[in-house]
Amino acid sequence: MKNRLIILIGSVFFVFAKGFCQAQTCPVNINFAMDNLTHWEAYTGNNANGNNDQSRHPYDSTKTAPTGTINVSAIAEYQLPSVLGIQVLTAQGTDAFGGFQKIPTINGYSYNYSILLGSTSISRSSNGTDAGGYVRGVSYQISVPTSAVTEPYTMTYAYAMVLENGRHPSNFQPLFSATLTLANGSVIACASPKYFLPTVPGTTQNNGNGELDSAVAIADGFTVSRKLSPNPDPNAPSNDPDPPHLQDVWTKGWTEVTFDLSPYRGQKVTLTFEADNCVPGGHFAYAYVALRNTCAGLQISGPQVACSSGSFTYSVPALAGATYNWQVPSGWSIVSGATTNIINVQAGATGGPVVAFEQNDCANLKDTMQVTTSPPTMPGTVSGDAEVCALANTNKITLSGNRGNVVNWISSSNGVNWAPIPDSTTSYTYTNLNVTTLFAAVVQNGGTCALDTSSVATVMVDQRSAGGQVNPPIANFCANQTVADVLTLKNFNGQVNNWQSSPDSVAWQDFAPVYQDTTYDVLNVTANTYYRAIVHNGVCPADTSAVASVKLFTTPFPQSTYSPSDTTICFGASAPLSALIKIGTDYTWASADSLQNPGNGHVAGNPFQLVSVAVPDSSAQYVLSIENQGCPNLLKDTFHIAVIPPIIVSPGNDTAVVVGEPLQFNAFSNDTTQDIFTWNPATDLNSANIPNPVGTYGSNIDTITYIVKATDAYGCFGQNKISVRVFKTSPDIFVPNAFTPGLGINNIFRPIPVGISTMRYFRVYNRWGQLVYSTSSAGQGWDGTVEGKPQDSGTYVWMVQGVDYTGKVITKKGTMVLIR
């Protein structure tokens, strides 16, 4: 591949390759490899008279500071000593407006240095008159080596720009330029571009009202920055105390450009980079430039080894106004960019030459890169699944069947979040894992094939076995004891392998058959005995629990029979609790508050009959503990008494009917079971054994009261009563002629319907005809207030209407007197 030069606009770097003939050697420090401006001329200035008529302060390449550039890495803005206008950059960073790197890497080629021309400073005068903008530039006089004109002598630069939109004509806008000048002062136009933001036609120099041609700007690679300008809008009114900061800063990321100086063999050519604020001075410009240190012709950038079937980018630095042509190996395809300086390709199975041609009025360049291919990555399979014990493990997992090298291993405890392991061998040895862990290898076949991940090996980690404790740690057992002492294993980790017993806590005997429950009922003990459990978890070694001891007492264990064990009673009833104590000296009751005849706690002699009566208000348990002195264990018997809640019967409200009117009753209870209802007496009812009988009455009855009883399946019952008054009249609505609100009696004014099945309305009006009360519910009435305010004594008018049980409408009205 031929050596080349790349020039970047916006940040300048020159990088030149070593090892080619002297005629193709790049100028010394053309790429700022000395970390300074040595061999470069520099200048700062002001363009108040226009970009072509600048006031400049020069810095000589043959002198040191303050008037020269030898060993100088930074120069201040023109007459602004606190702000740098020219800087050689050796440390990487990110531009605040554009977000691009200050030292570029372009398609695999990394520059080492760049230069920053300009700042965000502006020079508009305080009174608003045009003061001109800052101008800064660097230049290098290149002595083009003498050689055949047909041999290319190229330089390549890359640039990136940040320009504030000045809304001026093009020649007054903030700009960046790269200029090649011959010794006679003539400019090589085809290699001397200027870069600025385009405005629409009709924009004049000083009105600042030009509209940015954003479509053209975007097509040229510009993007508007999200960051506001640090400078107030220069077009804001002069009396504005807080002028706005506009979001009108545009940026262009790194772009490579090349030019060929072979037509000027033996001549001196000056290369100049310059960044200028707008001519009025109110808008800034700065640019980065970086240069390659190769001058021996065009050079293609891109991978020299391509992964089969992968997508890749190849590029050459751009020529102004150039045409481009590419050739790729057989079986490859150009996906996009075939007529540009950057192509995207789909690689084939085999390699070959990638050839680039570019030509303009200044140069006709060609380069060939031989590209080989590598087959795609095969991630392979990891073996080494295992089950291990926590914190005491070490094992090897191995990758096989892979194509490519191990980049690193990765591990995860959940299969979602993975952590890298810095090991690039095909086997990895883990140690002392504490949680179940998944392992995989990340594999890549060469630098251009995709990374891929192998199959996963799972190392299941069992936490260490923990024997735990046996509760109670000390237990007692009496002679002939019929109730087991229960030993319970607590705070263990794993599964119970078996239990063991020992007469002395030294010689242990396994249970036979094997017993693997976590509780053990101690019975039939004939001597002091010790117990423990053996626990293991997974593949971890077994662990032994703490020891529990059971001491044998020769005193007999208490004996008793009791009844009933469980019983159900109705609310308010009692339950006899009976115990026949055969062996024992004392007894106690727990929760004896609702017991009758609990006894004095002493057993007079064996056998001893104890009878107590429980009268609980709700379900309860009564525990009888029996002691036989000399035996530390108690015999406990529990009586379970279930109390059925009170049954509450609702037969309805007292009512009135007329002779011959059918009366429908509806009784219910709070009991959720199927109750049996009885009515007493059964007089004039169609049935006395249902909850909803119908009564029909003759003239021989004035008033009758029924007792309604509801009985559940246990024989528990509740009852209530309801009275019926029988009128010897036809159906009617009776209304009193006076009432006394606020007193204990006669304090509600309401109608008395007799034989009425439906109350349509009952209304009360005051003397002015205003409605003070209305209802359609039987039994409701007026309390003598309106919205809570007591009404005055006096005469009120009422109206009532209802429908009797035969369907006849009854309407009545009248007056009543409210008395206070």
Side-chain angles (χ1 to χ4, degrees):
M1 183 182 298
K2 295 180 180 179
N3 296 310
R4 67 185 182 189
L5 167 67
I6 297 177
I7 303 177
L8 299 181
I9 298 177
S11 182
V12 180
F13 266 119
F14 288 93
V15 182
F16 296 94
K18 299 178 181 179
F20 43 79
C21 67
Q22 183 65 30
Q24 298 296 94
T25 301
C26 290
V28 177
N29 199 39
I30 193 71
N31 66 333
F32 308 103
M34 295 180 177
D35 302 349
N36 55 51
L37 294 170
T38 300
H39 297 300
W40 285 82
E41 300 282 347
Y43 58 89
T44 60
N46 180 279
N47 61 6
N49 297 321
N51 284 325
N52 296 322
D53 188 10
Q54 303 170 350
S55 300
R56 294 190 180 185
H57 179 82
Y59 295 86
D60 197 330
S61 63
T62 63
K63 298 178 181 180
T64 59
T67 59
T69 60
I70 297 176
N71 297 324
V72 172
S73 60
I75 297 174
E77 292 275 31
Y78 182 69
Q79 296 181 350
L80 193 63
S82 62
V83 179
L84 295 180
I86 303 173
Q87 304 175 60
V88 176
L89 304 179
T90 59
Q92 186 60 274
T94 301
D95 182 79
F97 288 94
F100 48 77
Q101 289 186 323
K102 294 182 179 181
I103 301 175
T105 296
I106 299 177
N107 201 19
Y109 183 88
S110 296
Y111 291 82
N112 295 319
Y113 310 92
S114 69
I115 188 170
L116 171 60
L117 299 176
S119 67
T120 59
S121 296
I122 58 175
S123 57
R124 177 172 289 275
S125 65
S126 59
N127 62 9
T129 60
D130 292 344
Y134 292 111
V135 175
R136 349 50 186 166
V138 293
S139 62
Y140 198 115
Q141 188 177 74
I142 302 168
S143 296
V144 182
T146 301
S147 182
V149 174
T150 57
E151 181 72 21
Y153 186 72
T154 60
M155 291 187 179
T156 300
Y157 66 90
Y159 69 93
M161 300 182 296
V162 178
L163 305 177
E164 186 176 20
N165 179 23
R167 294 171 287 180
H168 303 300
S170 299
N171 59 329
F172 292 100
Q173 282 279 67
L175 61 84
F176 167 77
S177 62
T179 307
L180 282 174
T181 308
L182 298 175
N184 61 9
S186 61
V187 174
I188 304 174
C190 63
S192 300
K194 293 184 178 180
Y195 305 91
F196 49 83
L197 288 166
T199 51
V200 297
T203 303
T204 59
Q205 175 179 352
N206 293 319
N207 63 11
N209 293 321
E211 180 183 353
L212 175 70
D213 193 335
S214 57
V216 174
I218 293 171
D220 288 345
F222 283 97
T223 302
V224 64
S225 175
R226 296 183 179 181
K227 184 178 175 64
L228 298 178
S229 171
N231 304 309
D233 181 8
N235 295 314
S238 58
N239 59 353
D240 189 343
D242 186 21
H245 292 245
L246 301 179
Q247 187 178 2
D248 208 11
V249 177
W250 291 70
T251 68
K252 183 176 181 179
W254 289 101
T255 305
E256 284 188 312
V257 178
T258 193
F259 56 87
D260 183 18
L261 295 178
S262 60
Y264 310 101
R265 294 286 187 179
Q267 302 184 45
K268 294 184 183 298
V269 178
T270 299
L271 171 64
T272 301
F273 298 107
E274 181 175 303
D276 300 349
N277 287 9
C278 70
V279 171
H283 302 90
F284 67 83
Y286 66 83
Y288 301 87
V289 184
L291 292 98
R292 295 199 187 197
N293 198 29
T294 54
C295 297
L298 187 66
Q299 185 175 3
I300 298 173
S301 294
Q304 289 185 288
V305 179
C307 191
S308 298
S309 301
S311 297
F312 303 97
T313 298
Y314 291 89
S315 64
V316 292
L319 276 175
T323 58
Y324 302 90
N325 187 29
W326 291 84
Q327 296 175 2
V328 295
S330 175
W332 290 41
S333 60
I334 299 177
V335 178
S336 63
T339 60
T340 70
N341 67 311
I342 302 173
I343 61 170
N344 295 301
V345 302
Q346 184 81 28
T350 60
V354 174
V355 185
F357 302 88
E358 65 177 2
Q359 181 178 1
N360 69 356
D361 294 341
C362 290
N364 187 356
L365 302 174
K366 172 187 176 182
D367 188 32
T368 300
M369 173 187 285
Q370 291 295 328
V371 180
T372 60
T373 58
S374 62
T377 301
M378 290 178 56
T381 302
V382 173
S383 59
D385 288 355
E387 183 177 3
V388 299
C389 190
L391 300 178
N393 52 78
T394 182
N395 210 341
K396 181 182 292 186
I397 51 177
T398 303
L399 175 69
S400 61
N402 57 298
R403 180 194 294 145
N405 297 320
V406 176
V407 177
N408 58 270
W409 289 79
I410 54 177
S411 66
S412 172
S413 61
N414 57 16
V416 176
N417 302 312
W418 294 83
I421 301 173
D423 188 316
S424 57
T425 65
T426 56
S427 63
Y428 172 70
T429 300
Y430 60 83
T431 58
N432 298 330
L433 298 180
N434 193 37
V435 296
T436 296
T437 306
L438 310 178
F439 293 96
V442 178
V443 180
Q444 185 178 31
N445 188 31
T448 60
C449 289
L451 296 168
D452 203 352
T453 304
S454 71
S455 65
V456 173
T458 301
V459 180
M460 188 172 70
V461 177
D462 300 324
Q463 295 304 307
R464 292 190 172 190
S465 306
Q469 298 86 37
V470 178
N471 287 339
I474 300 174
N476 302 311
F477 197 86
C478 299
N480 304 320
Q481 184 168 323
T482 57
V483 177
D485 279 343
V486 180
L487 301 181
T488 303
L489 186 63
K490 301 287 187 180
N491 303 321
F492 64 96
N493 182 55
Q495 303 294 323
V496 177
N497 272 357
N498 200 1
W499 286 71
Q500 294 179 327
S501 63
S502 171
D504 54 8
S505 193
V506 176
W508 291 93
Q509 181 70 37
D510 289 339
F511 280 19
V514 172
Y515 186 79
Q516 295 180 316
D517 288 348
T518 58
T519 60
Y520 175 65
D521 295 343
V522 178
L523 283 172
N524 303 320
V525 174
T526 59
N528 293 340
T529 307
Y530 299 88
Y531 296 90
R532 69 184 185 184
I534 308 300
V535 178
H536 84 286
N537 187 41
V539 299
C540 294
D543 190 30
T544 304
S545 73
V547 174
S549 64
V550 177
K551 182 178 180 181
L552 178 65
F553 287 79
T554 58
T555 302
F557 185 71
Q559 292 185 23
S560 176
T561 60
Y562 67 100
S563 66
S565 58
D566 298 299
T567 189
T568 300
I569 62 174
C570 299
F571 179 80
S574 62
L577 308 180
S578 177
L580 178 60
I581 301 174
K582 299 177 180 179
I583 298 176
T585 58
D586 301 278
Y587 65 89
T588 57
W589 287 97
S591 303
D593 292 345
S594 56
L595 276 180
Q596 298 175 356
N597 304 320
N600 61 9
H602 178 66
V603 177
N606 294 315
F608 178 77
Q609 183 71 50
L610 174 65
V611 179
S612 298
V613 178
V615 190
D617 292 332
S618 59
S619 297
Q621 294 188 144
Y622 299 89
V623 180
L624 175 64
S625 298
I626 303 173
E627 176 188 3
N628 191 29
Q629 290 184 4
C631 171
N633 293 346
L634 301 177
L635 172 62
K636 294 185 177 182
D637 290 332
T638 302
F639 300 85
H640 302 273
I641 310 297
V643 179
I644 296 176
I647 297 177
I648 301 172
V649 179
S650 299
N653 297 322
D654 293 346
T655 187
V657 295
V658 297
V659 172
E661 177 189 356
L663 175 59
Q664 177 69 64
F665 293 96
N666 265 304
F668 60 90
S669 77
N670 64 330
D671 188 28
T672 57
T673 63
Q674 189 67 37
D675 290 342
I676 297 175
F677 285 83
T678 58
W679 296 72
N680 187 35
T683 304
D684 293 332
L685 299 178
N686 67 334
S687 175
N689 298 306
I690 60 175
N692 51 353
V694 176
T696 306
Y697 305 95
S699 59
N700 58 320
I701 294 179
D702 294 325
T703 300
I704 187 169
T705 299
Y706 294 99
I707 304 298
V708 187
K709 184 178 180 181
T711 306
D712 69 6
Y714 293 97
C716 301
F717 67 89
Q719 59 186 23
N720 206 339
K721 63 182 180 178
I722 182 173
S723 295
V724 180
R725 184 179 178 186
V726 182
F727 285 83
K728 310 301 191 296
T729 66
S730 299
D732 202 349
I733 302 174
F734 302 99
V735 181
N737 57 12
F739 84 114
T740 54
L743 299 182
I745 59 174
N746 194 28
N747 57 359
I748 299 294
F749 179 55
R750 57 187 159 206
I752 302 172
V754 178
I756 301 301
S757 61
T758 303
M759 178 72 74
R760 288 185 173 177
Y761 60 80
F762 173 61
R763 299 168 184 160
V764 181
Y765 300 86
N766 62 19
R767 69 187 68 183
W768 297 282
Q770 296 170 323
L771 181 66
V772 297
Y773 179 74
S774 178
T775 185
S776 60
S777 299
Q780 300 295 316
W782 184 40
D783 64 358
T785 66
V786 175
E787 296 181 352
K789 182 178 179 181
Q791 298 300 292
D792 296 335
S793 299
T795 301
Y796 290 79
V797 177
W798 56 265
M799 298 177 63
V800 66
Q801 187 179 87
V803 180
D804 70 11
Y805 74 94
T806 67
K808 179 182 177 182
V809 176
I810 298 175
T811 304
K812 299 179 73 174
K813 62 181 178 179
T815 61
M816 66 82 179
V817 177
L818 188 155
I819 303 172
R820 291 192 181 277

